[in-house]
Amino acid sequence: MNHSSQRGLVLFAHGARAASWAAPFERLRDATQAQAPDAEVALAFLELMTPSLPDTVAAMVARGIDRVTVVPVFLGQGGHLLRDLPALCDGIRAAHPGLNLHVVGAIGEDPGVQRAMADYCVAALGD
Amino acid sequence: MNHSSQRGLVLFAHGARAASWAAPFERLRDATQAQAPDAEVALAFLELMTPSLPDTVAAMVARGIDRVTVVPVFLGQGGHLLRDLPALCDGIRAAHPGLNLHVVGAIGEDPGVQRAMADYCVAALGD
């Protein structure tokens, strides 16, 4: 299989000590991969879990991927997205000069995700 | 206005140092309140931001609310939801013996929220 024109999509999450924490992120990765069969979809973590974002992107680059989109799977934009993620991306771009690395907004800011979360909150009143 | 039969709905989030972090949670609270006008909807935070969950519930109880639902606005279930939140709820129940306090699952585990997040991830490939 020729990966040279394949896109990489990295779902970038915080990480946690409890292994159970990763379960919804793994389901999200699997659902995204199923909907985007032409892309290579992977999870990466800021801390406490592996793989890291630099390691994940390096593995994609080693397989010939030259375009990677990063989706921050965070609800809000705090220091992790305002400072840590840009610093990581600076390092990745320096390590892989030919890479097109693109970062989109935090998943929790998306209007569709916001609508689904509001629906869940309202439904919780009926529980 | 008689609040004695009103329900309380607390959106419980982590909190962060950056004030900007709270914006999507505030939008979520406002959207939820608009869809649930008969409930009192409030935000509360685990750390770094106020009000706390105990203070938020105490204020609701002081206004005559005796049924409170807590929605953990967290993507995954780590130590904060497995240990910190149950401990907070134990303290709240001890402080307010007549209160019916109900906690639902993490928002990030909801199938509807998962679908919306997957849609956002797939759409990010087109950015």
Side-chain angles (χ1 to χ4, degrees), chain A residues 68-82:
Chain A
V68 172
T69 298
V70 178
V71 178
V73 188
F74 285 70
L75 289 171
Q77 297 217 103
H80 295 321
L81 298 191
L82 297 172

Side-chain angles (χ1 to χ4, degrees), chain A residues 7 20-21 24-25 27-28 35 73 75-78 102 104-105 107 109-110 114 117-120 125 127, chain B residues 7 11 20-21 24-25 27-28 35 73 75-78 102 104-105 107 109-110 114 117-120 125 127:
Chain A
R7 291 279 295 272
S20 62
W21 184 86
F25 299 88
R27 289 205 303 278
L28 177 61
Q35 291 183 58
V73 188
L75 289 171
Q77 297 217 103
H102 178 57
V104 300
I107 208 165
E109 306 259 10
D110 174 62
Q114 281 268 330
M117 291 197 298
D119 288 347
Y120 179 70
L125 282 169
D127 276 4
Chain B
R7 292 280 295 271
L11 313 186
S20 61
W21 184 85
F25 300 88
R27 289 204 303 278
L28 177 61
Q35 290 183 58
V73 188
L75 288 171
Q77 296 216 103
H102 178 57
V104 301
I107 208 165
E109 306 259 10
D110 174 62
Q114 282 268 328
M117 291 197 297
D119 288 347
Y120 178 71
L125 282 169
D127 278 3

Side-chain angles (χ1 to χ4, degrees), chain B residues 12-116:
Chain B
F12 177 64
H14 186 280
R17 283 181 185 81
S20 61
W21 184 85
F25 300 88
E26 291 164 353
R27 289 204 303 278
L28 177 61
R29 176 201 57 203
D30 294 348
T32 302
Q33 182 69 79
Q35 290 183 58
D38 294 335
E40 180 172 327
V41 181
L43 274 177
F45 301 96
L46 176 65
E47 59 190 27
L48 302 169
M49 288 178 165
T50 57
S52 69
L53 182 61
D55 285 354
T56 299
V57 175
M60 288 179 165
V61 170
R63 286 192 290 276
I65 291 174
D66 59 4
R67 297 171 68 202
V68 172
T69 299
V70 178
V71 179
V73 188
F74 285 71
L75 288 171
Q77 296 216 103
H80 295 320
L81 298 192
L82 297 172
R83 287 186 300 274
D84 299 337
L85 179 55
L88 285 172
C89 289
D90 286 348
I92 290 167
R93 290 189 179 99
H96 310 287
L99 175 69
N100 179 337
L101 182 70
H102 178 57
V103 181
V104 301
I107 208 165
E109 306 259 10
D110 174 62
V113 173
Q114 282 268 328
R115 276 192 297 276

